[in-house]
């Protein structure tokens, strides 16, 4: 098969089963066998470089971006695989922060289309994207790959890698229909990324879950087990112009007054995980100037990102109750305003609209525009409206996230605030509506 352009190649890709659009149940969760078969047909490209493997409920993308930037500041060529994307699928597969070019992506998908013909069962869309990433990283001869789990850990198709460092950012309720119902169930699934001889870096601090992770790491044969607040930590975390000013410590060193150009106090914890992961990878501390350079270069679109002023327009990928509480705290700490706030909110199934909106209420948000993300998994707008009404919020609706954010901006005064949240799909559409396509 020879694809003539990227749209044709992506149409072929999108024709495959997509668990991001239709969430699997426990009984239909894929095993790793199909992914292993696909990788074997491609020559097991994921074995050509060491991997830092990252999972967790929230903060995976930011932690992956910081880890990538720290490794690049050390002079390494770094492949990064993340999901979902905001504007283009290419964003998921990057080399030193630059997304894969269209030509290389077409070639990879063309090769995968031919390889698929050799399989008894067609792979899923996410398996194909994962295989494309692993193959491109091998072709580009990266020094290390930073790989973000799609969902969970044990049965995620990225888990064919043998992570030399395994990172778990935190645990809260999300995807409970697949991974839950309890936090322990979710943690147990994510602990499946621990590998023999590897180092485990755990950002979660709940004693029960830490004990579970420690037992899982021991059972897997991990050489080291580092926990945030014990072996590594963010010891100081303050608001700064354009982000946060943090102090971090790792098993090997302490670093003071590092600027992270990202908003939200939670980014201090993510930075601690990323720096610990980098130190675990190298087996020694990093020079302070390297850490300063690496963290200062981090960019994570769609996470507490300012995309407009007068009114202030913020987009944030918070997509569960824990993430919305973090967003609410950040709105109070870093983005206080004199005017009113309108939230543009859309959600996917498996979320609790009341709990998520209640977090916004705690930050003084009293008005929302409800919309549906462009996904088969979108929660009906009526469910969001009902939750908002039950909380005493003022509610209106829009036919799409793009219309919702335009409506919110038009009705806001210069000293007001617009917050777009609930799903990265909503954030992506809002960014496309308000920013030039090149961003």
């Amino acid at each position: 098969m020879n694809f003539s352009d990227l749209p044709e190649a992506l149409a072929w890709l999108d024709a495959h089963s997509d668990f991001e659009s239709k969430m699997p149940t426990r009984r239909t969760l894929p095993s790793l066998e199909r992914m292993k078969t696909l990788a074997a047909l491609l020559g097991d490209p994921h074995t050509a470089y060491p991997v830092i493997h990252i999972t967790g409920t929230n903060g995976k993308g930011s932690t992956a971006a910081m880890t990538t930037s720290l490794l690049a500041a050390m002079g390494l060529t770094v492949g990064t695989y993340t999901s979902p994307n905001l504007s283009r699928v290419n964003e998921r597969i990057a080399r030193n922060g630059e997304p894969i070019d269209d030509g290389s992506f077409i070639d990879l998908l063309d090769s995968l289309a031919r390889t698929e013909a050799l399989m008894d069962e067609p792979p899923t869309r996410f398996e194909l994207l994962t295989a494309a990433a692993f193959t491109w990283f091998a072709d580009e001869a990266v020094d290390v790959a930073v790989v973000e789990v799609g969902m969970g850990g044990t049965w995620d198709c990225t888990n064919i890698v043998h992570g030399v460092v395994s990172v778990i950012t935190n645990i809260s309720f999300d995807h409970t229909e697949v991974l839950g119902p309890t936090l322990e169930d979710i943690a147990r699934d994510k602990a499946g990324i621990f590998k023999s001889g590897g180092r485990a870096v755990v950002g979660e601090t709940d004693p029960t879950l830490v004990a579970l992770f420690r037992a899982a790491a021991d059972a897997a044969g991990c050489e080291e087990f580092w926990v945030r607040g014990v072996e590594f930590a963010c010891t100081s975390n303050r608001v700064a112009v354009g982000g946060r000013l943090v102090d971090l410590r790792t098993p090997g060193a302490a670093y003071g007054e590092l600027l992270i150009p990202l908003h939200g106090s939670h980014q201090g914890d993510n930075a601690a995980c990323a720096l610990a992961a980098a130190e675990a990878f190298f087996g020694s501390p990093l020079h302070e100037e390297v850490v300063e350079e690496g963290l200062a270069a981090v960019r994570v679109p769609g996470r507490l990102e300012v995309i407009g002023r007068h009114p202030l327009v913020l987009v944030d990928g918070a997509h569960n109750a824990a993430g919305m509480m973090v967003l609410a705290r950040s709105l109070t700490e870093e983005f206080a305003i004199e005017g009113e706030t309108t939230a543009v909110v859309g959600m996917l199934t498996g979320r609790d609209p009341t709990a998520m909106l209640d977090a916004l209420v705690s930050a003084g948000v009293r008005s929302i525009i409800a919309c549906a993300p462009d996904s088969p998994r979108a929660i009906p707008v009526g469910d969001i409206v009902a939750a908002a009404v039950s909380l005493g919020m003022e509610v209106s609706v829009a036919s799409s996230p793009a219309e919702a954010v335009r409506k919110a901006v038009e009705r806001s005064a210069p000293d007001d605030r617009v917050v777009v949240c609930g799903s990265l799909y909503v954030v992506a559409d809002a960014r496309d509506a308000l920013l030039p396509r090149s961003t």
Side-chain angles (χ1 to χ4, degrees):
M1 186 178 296
N2 291 302
F3 298 123
S4 59
D5 54 26
L6 188 58
E8 182 184 359
L10 292 180
W12 169 81
L13 177 68
D14 292 343
H16 291 77
S17 179
D18 184 5
F19 289 147
E20 290 179 88
S21 295
K22 183 179 180 182
M23 187 64 65
T25 65
R26 279 175 229 281
R27 284 185 294 276
T28 59
L29 264 177
S31 73
L32 295 179
E33 292 310 309
R34 188 170 55 232
M35 186 65 203
K36 288 178 179 177
T37 298
L38 177 58
L41 289 169
L42 296 168
D44 287 327
H46 60 290
T47 63
Y49 39 80
V51 172
I52 296 177
H53 205 187
I54 301 175
T55 190
T57 302
N58 293 307
K60 296 188 298 293
S62 296
T63 302
M66 292 184 200
T67 304
T68 296
S69 196
L70 288 166
L71 297 174
M74 285 289 289
L76 300 186
T77 298
V78 188
T80 311
Y81 180 53
T82 57
S83 60
N85 52 277
L86 283 177
S87 297
R88 306 179 70 228
V89 183
N90 305 52
E91 297 166 15
R92 299 184 180 212
I93 305 171
R95 176 185 179 275
N96 285 350
E98 290 297 319
I100 185 172
D101 63 279
D102 288 357
S104 296
F105 203 7
I106 293 168
D107 290 344
L108 282 168
L109 294 178
D110 189 72
S111 175
L112 286 168
R114 292 193 297 271
T115 303
E116 180 186 43
L118 304 175
M119 299 180 65
D120 294 331
E121 182 182 3
T124 67
R125 181 177 184 271
F126 190 71
E127 287 168 342
L128 288 166
L129 282 169
T130 303
F134 292 168
T135 301
W136 193 58
F137 296 158
D139 291 345
E140 291 292 301
V142 300
D143 297 311
V144 56
V146 176
V147 175
E148 178 188 341
V149 164
M151 182 181 66
T154 303
W155 302 113
D156 187 80
C157 70
T158 64
N159 204 31
I160 64 169
V161 303
H162 192 99
V164 296
V165 180
S166 301
V167 181
I168 299 180
T169 58
N170 51 59
I171 301 295
S172 59
F173 288 108
D174 199 15
H175 299 306
T176 53
E177 69 275 27
V178 178
L179 306 177
T182 69
L183 287 178
E184 288 81 359
D185 291 327
I186 296 170
R188 198 169 290 112
D189 188 274
K190 294 182 187 296
I193 72 168
F194 294 153
K195 297 297 192 299
S196 174
R199 292 176 166 137
V201 173
V202 175
E204 179 58 56
T205 58
D206 178 88
T208 300
L209 300 182
V210 169
L212 185 156
F213 286 136
R214 190 180 298 277
D218 288 343
C222 290
E223 286 186 353
E224 295 191 55
F225 184 81
W226 297 353
V227 180
R228 183 168 65 85
V230 183
E231 284 80 13
F232 68 96
C234 176
T235 56
S236 178
N237 191 338
R238 323 180 274 293
V239 176
V241 176
R244 309 292 299 193
L245 198 63
V246 302
D247 295 348
L248 304 175
R249 68 169 174 84
T250 62
Y255 308 84
E257 298 194 332
L258 302 167
L259 177 64
I260 306 172
L262 303 174
H263 297 288
S265 59
H266 59 291
Q267 296 294 5
D269 294 335
N270 291 335
C273 287
L275 183 55
E279 182 169 310
F281 176 76
F282 288 110
S284 64
L286 280 62
H287 293 296
E288 186 155 3
E289 56 270 26
V290 169
V291 177
E292 290 177 354
E293 176 189 339
L295 292 181
V298 173
R299 300 291 182 271
V300 189
R303 275 74 167 188
L304 269 175
E305 180 186 14
V306 177
I307 65 169
R309 300 185 186 276
H310 312 299
L312 177 67
V313 183
L314 291 164
V315 295
D316 187 66
H319 59 276
N320 51 43
M324 292 291 262
M325 285 302 299
V326 169
L327 169 60
R329 185 170 66 245
S330 299
L331 291 177
T332 302
E333 291 179 354
E334 297 187 49
F335 297 103
I337 58 166
E338 295 181 4
E340 301 298 320
T341 299
T342 299
V344 172
V345 182
M347 305 176 191
L348 300 183
T349 55
R351 282 26 174 192
D352 181 344
T354 302
M356 291 176 68
L357 293 180
D358 192 42
L360 293 180
V361 171
S362 73
V365 180
R366 298 289 181 266
S367 174
I368 75 163
I369 301 177
C371 58
D374 184 16
S375 168
R377 292 171 52 211
I379 286 180
V381 171
D383 292 358
I384 300 174
V385 170
V389 169
S390 73
L391 294 169
M393 304 180 86
E394 177 187 326
V395 193
S396 59
V397 299
S399 61
S400 68
E403 181 194 349
V405 72
R406 290 192 193 101
K407 190 181 290 188
V409 170
E410 287 169 2
R411 77 184 200 187
S412 296
D415 61 348
D416 287 346
R417 181 173 63 183
V418 175
V419 181
V420 183
C421 57
S423 162
L424 274 172
Y425 290 93
V426 176
V427 166
D429 285 351
R431 291 180 89 254
D432 285 347
L434 297 185
L435 292 177
R437 189 64 170 169
S438 61
T439 60

